[in-house]
Amino acid sequence: MKYESVIGLEVHVQVRTESKMFCSCGNIYGAPPNTLVCPVCMGLPGVMPVPNKTAIQKTIAAGLLIECEISKFSKFDRKSYFYPDMPKNYQISQYDLPFCRGGKIHVGGRGFSGAPLPNKIIGVTRIHLEEDVAKSTHMGRYSGIDFNRAGAPLMEIVSEPDMRFPDEAYAYIEALKEIMQYARISDCDMEKGQMRCDVNVSVRPEGQKELGVKIEIKNLNSLRSIHRAIEHEIERQKNVLDEGGRLEQETRGWNDDAGETFLLRKKESAHDYRYFPEPDLLPFIADDLIIDEIRRSLPELPAKKRERFVANYGISEYDAQVLTSDKNLADYFDGAASKSSNPKSVANWIISEVLKEINLRGMAIKDCPVTGEHLVELVDAVHSGSITGNSGKEVLSEIFLSGKKPSEIIREKGLIQISNESEISPFVDEVIASFPSQAGEYKAGKAQALQFLIGQVMKKSKGKANPKIAAKLLAGKISFKS
Ligand SMILES: [Zn+2]
């Protein structure tokens, strides 16, 4: 039988804040185990939680960015939770009144395999805010637990079951990640557990309206494992049905080495969690004033930025894609391009030269010593012909070393391009005399011989001769030669 697969995602995103969700402990990754703890996040009796304002603002910001409706009235709830990674035996979460509802994420571009994807809108059911649990580590007969993460603010972003292929799930996560990183809501570093994913997968016979039996795969922590786990689970479910078996609602894990999912437990339903309103916290009322203030603080999203770069600066879609892949890089380009009369060249110089230099030095773009003003000046100098492109590269490397202004470096190094024919002429004569066979080849009609000869003129003039004038002189002199 032919089946259609249906995929929904629950993505947990750690919110970037200075302190935890309900106490003043630091929200820092990588501190020695159990050093960021206090009576509140350890769940000692008699303590009271105090909500983190920034975490709530960032959750609402996330909602606005993905076109959610922001709840005017929301509250926190207690979720019964009896696992050792939650010292209180309950987790403060949100049940029926989350901060955000009903958003959408635009996906497209390319899938995990690199195959192009059609544009599609994936619905977002809700975003709620909760506290993270501790991190457990299992070592043979022993288990260790680190409570540094317990109580850190964690958003759960629940999608509609709108995805049909593993590649769409991949694109959804990438799009979500890009938005969160751009808005500085989260760093979304999956290796650090800042973004974790539970996947719901079901299959149904093609043409059937009702959804199949939903099976959840828990705690996937890399894009690759998410893609593989979904792919495997779809095949597994199809096989069970084809063999006449029945699927049951359950929670499965993912074994990355074996490349297969495995049964963790039969699924709990919501009443097992016995949610009830958190008695120690007041409901939260978001009036228009609060929401508007957050709306004003939102950054321009990458997709909008790309459109603007293409329209205003005349750069290609591809270049816009490269330049918006990182917010700092986009700001860097935007700053320089807006002041330059040659924004397209600014883009080329950044993509081919600046990025090469910073990668070589293992540097981040925000630490790049070449400022926007430097770049504008440099591009102008090359564009106006006062220095050659090669000299421009030399100037750029020199800024990395000394941080001096391009005009200063051009003067000190004597890089001003020679465009005066009478100054270039002697170099041309010398080259024709030294390479008679290449000159002959050019005369006989071999065009690429001219490139070689121009190269020699450049070499003799230490890169300063204007190559266009060198070409003109070479061509003229060789043709007249008998
Ligand atoms: Zn604490």
Side-chain angles (χ1 to χ4, degrees):
M1 197 187 295
K2 280 205 132 188
Y3 296 99
E4 178 185 53
S5 48
V6 176
I7 305 158
L9 297 175
E10 290 166 22
V11 182
H12 284 98
V13 174
Q14 274 185 6
V15 187
R16 197 161 107 167
T17 55
E18 278 175 24
S19 55
K20 291 189 184 179
M21 189 59 226
F22 298 111
C23 63
S24 57
C25 290
N27 180 19
I28 301 158
Y29 178 83
N34 298 309
T35 53
L36 302 170
V37 291
C38 75
V40 176
C41 55
M42 292 305 292
L44 300 190
V47 295
M48 291 292 263
V50 177
N52 184 324
K53 187 178 166 188
T54 308
I56 295 175
Q57 285 171 330
K58 289 195 172 186
T59 303
I60 293 176
L64 290 171
L65 286 168
I66 57 178
E67 304 169 53
C68 287
E69 188 191 321
I70 309 302
S71 308
K72 293 274 186 302
F73 183 90
S74 43
K75 66 172 171 66
F76 285 104
D77 297 278
R78 274 190 191 185
K79 175 181 179 180
S80 301
Y81 183 93
F82 301 102
Y83 292 101
D85 56 9
M86 191 74 249
K88 297 199 287 277
N89 275 352
Y90 63 84
Q91 181 186 30
I92 304 179
S93 181
Q94 295 191 288
Y95 183 49
D96 54 343
L97 296 168
F99 285 117
C100 320
R101 267 189 242 251
K104 45 185 138 160
I105 291 187
H106 300 254
V107 303
R110 285 178 188 281
F112 183 73
S113 52
L117 279 178
N119 290 330
K120 185 169 171 179
I121 291 172
I122 308 291
V124 170
T125 318
R126 56 186 270 157
I127 306 179
H128 68 252
L129 186 57
E130 59 189 26
E131 53 182 337
D132 207 345
V133 297
K135 188 177 183 341
S136 6
T137 310
H138 306 288
M139 302 156 283
R141 290 172 54 212
Y142 302 96
S143 285
I145 192 147
D146 176 9
F147 286 98
N148 285 354
R149 203 179 74 182
L154 189 70
M155 279 189 299
E156 182 171 332
I157 303 166
V158 182
S159 84
E160 292 289 313
D162 285 350
M163 289 156 273
R164 296 290 172 268
F165 311 100
D167 266 354
E168 282 181 353
Y170 165 83
Y172 171 88
I173 296 169
E174 281 283 88
L176 191 60
K177 197 165 139 186
E178 192 179 56
I179 294 169
M180 297 301 145
Q181 288 174 338
Y182 244 76
R184 308 264 191 268
I185 291 170
S186 174
D187 294 330
C188 294
D189 187 334
M190 293 184 101
E191 273 176 34
K192 293 182 180 167
Q194 291 165 346
M195 190 179 203
R196 313 193 288 272
C197 201
D198 300 339
V199 181
N200 291 309
V201 180
S202 64
V203 296
R204 62 182 170 195
E206 236 176 39
Q208 180 182 303
K209 279 249 163 7
E210 309 85 73
L211 291 170
V213 177
K214 185 172 86 177
I215 287 170
E216 183 178 19
I217 315 167
K218 273 251 179 247
N219 279 328
L220 294 162
N221 49 19
S222 77
L223 285 166
R224 185 171 173 268
S225 57
I226 291 165
H227 193 269
R228 285 179 74 207
I230 298 174
E231 226 169 18
H232 167 270
E233 183 59 22
I234 291 170
E235 282 313 306
R236 190 191 69 84
Q237 292 183 20
K238 282 182 189 169
N239 288 339
V240 170
L241 295 177
D242 276 341
E243 283 161 17
R246 266 186 64 226
L247 291 162
E248 270 186 84
Q249 198 175 335
E250 62 191 29
T251 301
R252 300 179 71 85
W254 169 248
N255 181 335
D256 205 48
D257 295 325
E260 55 190 32
T261 62
F262 59 90
L263 178 68
L264 276 177
R265 56 182 177 266
K266 299 286 173 193
K267 177 80 180 166
E268 311 86 344
S269 46
H271 64 259
D272 294 330
Y273 291 129
R274 292 182 292 133
Y275 281 100
F276 64 93
E278 168 58 53
D280 289 342
L281 291 167
L282 289 168
F284 183 80
I285 293 164
D287 58 26
D288 291 338
L289 224 63
I290 295 176
I291 296 173
D292 283 345
E293 195 187 323
I294 298 170
R295 200 189 298 276
R296 278 197 300 275
S297 73
L298 299 178
E300 178 185 35
L301 283 184
K304 280 263 171 320
K305 222 185 255 299
R306 281 193 282 276
E307 266 173 42
R308 180 167 64 81
F309 283 2
V310 170
N312 294 5
Y313 300 135
I315 64 174
S316 68
E317 290 271 352
Y318 178 81
D319 286 356
Q321 184 81 39
V322 175
L323 291 166
T324 53
S325 62
D326 174 276
K327 181 163 189 297
N328 291 323
L329 179 61
D331 290 346
Y332 180 71
F333 166 70
D334 208 3
S338 62
K339 291 190 200 80
S340 171
S341 42
N342 307 295
K344 226 177 132 154
S345 303
V346 170
N348 290 339
W349 275 86
I350 292 177
I351 292 169
S352 54
E353 301 304 325
V354 176
L355 289 182
K356 192 169 79 193
E357 292 275 350
I358 65 165
N359 289 340
L360 218 66
R361 291 169 163 81
M363 202 179 245
I365 190 78
K366 66 178 190 332
D367 304 321
C368 179
V370 182
T371 64
E373 284 84 53
H374 287 152
L375 208 57
V376 171
E377 203 188 319
L378 177 63
V379 169
D380 275 353
V382 176
H383 230 262
S384 67
S386 72
I387 61 171
T388 62
N390 273 333
S391 300
K393 289 179 194 169
E394 199 181 328
V395 171
L396 192 77
S397 307
E398 185 58 35
I399 305 175
F400 272 93
L401 298 175
S402 66
K404 286 182 183 166
K405 287 172 68 172
S407 53
E408 229 175 307
I409 298 168
I410 293 167
R411 202 174 48 242
E412 281 176 12
K413 296 198 161 225
L415 294 173
I416 288 286
Q417 176 165 263
I418 310 171
S419 295
N420 186 331
E421 292 192 10
S422 60
E423 280 181 67
I424 300 174
S425 200
F427 296 125
V428 170
D429 293 337
E430 268 181 65
V431 168
I432 295 174
S434 315
F435 299 97
S437 66
Q438 282 85 350
E441 280 173 24
Y442 175 66
K443 198 171 181 184
K446 209 172 144 198
Q448 65 259 50
L450 185 65
Q451 289 310 315
F452 170 82
L453 295 167
I454 296 171
Q456 294 306 315
V457 173
M458 298 305 291
K459 210 164 159 186
K460 282 211 182 295
S461 67
K462 301 202 166 58
K464 288 193 275 179
N466 182 326
K468 280 191 196 130
I469 303 209
K472 188 182 126 198
L473 290 176
L474 278 164
K477 290 189 188 222
I478 294 169
S479 320
F480 279 115
K481 243 179 124 214
S482 53

